[in-house]
Amino acid sequence: MEPYIKCAECGPPPFFLCLQCFTRGFEYKKHQSDHTYEIMTSDFPVLDPSWTAQEEMALLEAVMDCGFGNWQDVANQMCTKTKEECEKHYMKHFINNPLFASTLLNLKQAEEAKTADTAIPFHSADDPPRPTFDSLLSRDMAGYMPARADFIEEFDNYAEWDLRDIDFVEDDSDILHALKMAVVDIYHSRLKERQRRKKIIREHGLINLRKFQLMERRYPKEVQDLYETMRRFARIVGPVEHDKFIESHALEFELRREIKRLQEYRTAGITNFCSARTYDHLKKTREEERLKRTMLSEVLQYIQDSSACQQWLRRQADIDSGLSPSIPMTSNSGRRSAPPLNLTGLPGTEKLNEKEKELCQMVRLVPGAYLEYKSALLNECNKQGGLRLAQARALIKIDVNKTRKIYDFLIREGHITKA
């Protein structure tokens, strides 16, 4: 029977592909190459004449269940092939085959990891920022006026000047009339370019620049650099396709990092995940011991000042107990901590409660920035089911001490939970 593929996301009517089109990633109308699919028959060879499609899928599932390299367990689970046959076939067609050398995706994890599109559309239902004229936020938003959905200064702002002296009258000659119509056509083309640029800004969520930057920071630095480089091509492919492209590179980065971790295990002689967990635990313990040994260098800075030394010891005790250090570090060097920030008249102050106002004053953080950081941490916590301090520091790129204070405050108030 000739094999064929049925798309599980298209229809009705159902969408079918032949095996050759499926292997080439054929896309047609609403069908995309990353849609889930169903093999309607599996008793046909795919990569090797002696292996059916059913056996190929059974081999991949056995490798995922038993782990790469445990060929005897893989053969026992398959029941139809020997240990040597499983190893030879997998190494030939899935490791050394150039068609599959780039990625070896876990199918179950890929299905669970599917998320909604990550473009940032600026819907009219959102409560847009309303900065004062000529403020820093207004300049960041390129003079955008949310109430009018328009800009203070348009692209090609003086395009209308070419029309101000044109007047169509009945006694115009044919040439003069044609010239005037040409000027109007040129003006229409300039208006189209202005609208095209506005559409790009709105579709890609570039109006609220700070919100866009916070979304970018969830990627590793290598992916952020790629995002910055490829930004100029976003206007060509559209927001959804551009974000899919970036997400695919983020996935590649994660896979490469996972491969590097597995190579580290192999170099250390580890062959199963139980030993890998023990190795990670011992490695973390050694790193903590190394950090504790370096604490001596900090003590030496305050050893001549008994008051500063006591403050340092109390600070370390707070850190060890999981609390935020409440005592500012002072010494005989004459430096003083900065005074609390005056929040009078700052935008967003009315949205804070008393505890949040006190936090913003002590860490010297303007209310608008605090609200953005809080929203980003809450969204990430809801998405992950918990949040670690390291994740918070990777999400908001400010002083690490300020990040820790914000993180500890949100934990105490019950807004987020530890992972």
Side-chain angles (χ1 to χ4, degrees):
M1 181 179 180
E2 182 68 20
Y4 60 96
I5 308 297
K6 177 183 177 182
C7 179
E9 300 185 26
C10 296
F15 185 81
F16 299 100
L17 296 91
C18 65
L19 185 61
Q20 290 74 21
C21 292
F22 175 74
T23 56
R24 289 173 173 80
F26 177 76
E27 295 183 350
Y28 180 73
K29 291 185 178 179
K30 294 183 179 180
H31 174 70
Q32 300 294 322
S33 60
D34 59 349
H35 282 180
T36 54
Y37 61 91
E38 181 181 356
I39 300 177
M40 303 309 294
T41 179
S42 56
D43 56 350
F44 57 89
V46 179
L47 303 174
D48 191 303
S50 62
W51 284 68
T52 65
Q54 183 67 33
E55 290 175 327
E56 298 282 1
M57 292 188 294
L59 174 63
L60 294 177
E61 289 187 5
V63 171
M64 285 191 292
D65 293 340
C66 303
F68 177 78
N70 300 322
W71 301 115
Q72 186 60 55
D73 295 338
V74 171
N76 294 338
Q77 182 169 326
M78 286 194 61
C79 301
T80 59
K81 299 294 180 180
T82 65
K83 167 186 174 182
E84 291 75 15
E85 289 175 334
C86 293
E87 180 179 4
K88 180 179 178 181
H89 183 81
Y90 192 87
M91 295 300 296
K92 177 181 178 181
H93 295 287
F94 294 100
I95 298 298
N96 300 324
N97 190 339
L99 293 176
F100 304 105
S102 59
T103 56
L104 288 175
L105 298 180
N106 186 318
L107 300 180
K108 294 181 180 179
Q109 292 180 354
E111 181 67 23
E112 294 173 357
K114 282 188 176 181
T115 57
D117 297 329
T118 55
I120 316 170
F122 200 85
H123 298 293
S124 58
D126 293 341
D127 184 16
R130 302 175 185 273
T132 57
F133 175 73
D134 203 29
S135 63
L136 178 60
L137 181 56
S138 176
R139 291 194 294 271
D140 287 344
M141 295 170 61
Y144 181 74
M145 297 178 290
R148 294 177 52 183
D150 215 337
F151 292 87
I152 296 177
E153 184 173 344
E154 297 284 359
F155 169 76
D156 199 0
N157 197 45
Y158 298 100
E160 289 77 10
W161 282 32
D162 295 335
L163 298 177
R164 58 183 178 176
D165 297 327
I166 291 182
D167 187 16
F168 288 89
V169 295
E170 295 183 358
D171 56 351
D172 282 343
S173 64
D174 293 340
I175 295 178
L176 182 59
H177 181 79
L179 287 174
K180 291 180 179 180
M181 290 301 299
V183 173
V184 173
D185 290 339
I186 292 173
Y187 172 67
H188 284 167
S189 65
R190 296 165 81 176
L191 286 183
K192 289 180 180 178
E193 176 63 17
R194 181 184 294 175
Q195 294 301 320
R196 186 186 73 86
R197 290 174 178 260
K198 286 183 179 180
K199 181 180 178 182
I200 292 173
I201 292 174
R202 291 192 178 96
E203 287 183 346
H204 288 270
L206 300 177
I207 294 176
N208 192 337
L209 185 60
R210 293 188 180 181
K211 181 179 179 181
F212 185 78
Q213 291 172 341
L214 285 175
M215 293 296 295
E216 278 189 1
R217 289 172 183 169
R218 63 192 177 93
Y219 295 113
K221 186 179 185 306
E222 293 80 359
V223 181
Q224 290 183 23
D225 295 339
L226 175 68
Y227 211 143
E228 184 66 28
T229 304
M230 300 303 296
R231 192 194 305 276
R232 66 195 68 182
F233 300 105
R235 68 185 71 180
I236 301 175
V237 297
V240 177
E241 291 78 7
H242 178 68
D243 285 347
K244 284 184 177 180
F245 174 77
I246 298 299
E247 288 291 341
S248 65
H249 280 272
L251 176 60
E252 179 187 1
F253 175 78
E254 293 295 332
L255 289 175
R256 289 181 181 276
R257 186 166 62 180
E258 180 67 13
I259 291 172
K260 185 177 180 181
R261 186 173 71 92
L262 295 176
Q263 289 175 341
E264 180 184 355
Y265 292 156
R266 181 55 58 90
T267 303
I270 297 172
T271 57
N272 56 70
F273 286 106
C274 180
S275 301
R277 287 191 291 269
T278 305
Y279 173 81
D280 288 337
H281 176 71
L282 294 176
K283 182 180 178 181
K284 181 180 178 181
T285 303
R286 288 194 298 268
E287 183 65 20
E288 291 176 351
E289 291 295 331
R290 186 186 65 81
L291 292 177
K292 287 180 179 180
R293 288 194 297 268
T294 59
M295 289 169 57
L296 180 61
S297 60
E298 296 184 21
V299 178
L300 295 176
Q301 300 178 14
Y302 307 101
I303 200 66
Q304 302 299 328
D305 187 345
S306 59
S307 176
C309 184
Q310 290 296 326
Q311 290 182 6
W312 184 87
L313 291 174
R314 286 195 292 269
R315 176 174 175 267
Q316 293 301 322
D318 288 342
I319 294 176
D320 293 338
S321 61
L323 300 177
S324 176
S326 57
I327 303 176
M329 293 302 301
T330 58
S331 66
N332 290 338
S333 61
R335 293 186 300 174
R336 295 183 179 179
S337 59
L341 179 67
N342 185 6
L343 303 182
T344 305
L346 292 180
T349 306
E350 68 281 357
K351 299 180 180 181
L352 305 180
N353 57 37
E354 293 302 323
K355 292 184 178 180
E356 289 177 327
K357 290 179 181 179
E358 182 180 356
L359 174 68
C360 290
Q361 289 175 341
M362 295 306 298
V363 301
R364 298 185 60 79
L365 191 67
V366 295
Y370 165 75
L371 292 173
E372 290 183 6
Y373 298 151
K374 177 183 176 182
S375 176
L377 294 177
L378 288 176
N379 292 337
E380 188 68 17
C381 181
N382 293 333
K383 185 188 302 182
Q384 302 293 339
L387 193 66
R388 300 195 307 270
L389 178 59
Q391 293 175 314
R393 287 175 174 169
L395 193 62
I396 54 178
K397 302 294 185 181
I398 59 174
D399 180 72
V400 294
N401 295 320
K402 291 185 178 181
T403 304
R404 184 184 184 90
K405 292 179 180 179
I406 297 174
Y407 176 81
D408 291 340
F409 174 79
L410 295 178
I411 290 288
R412 289 196 305 268
E413 295 300 317
H415 296 298
I416 62 176
T417 57
K418 287 186 178 181

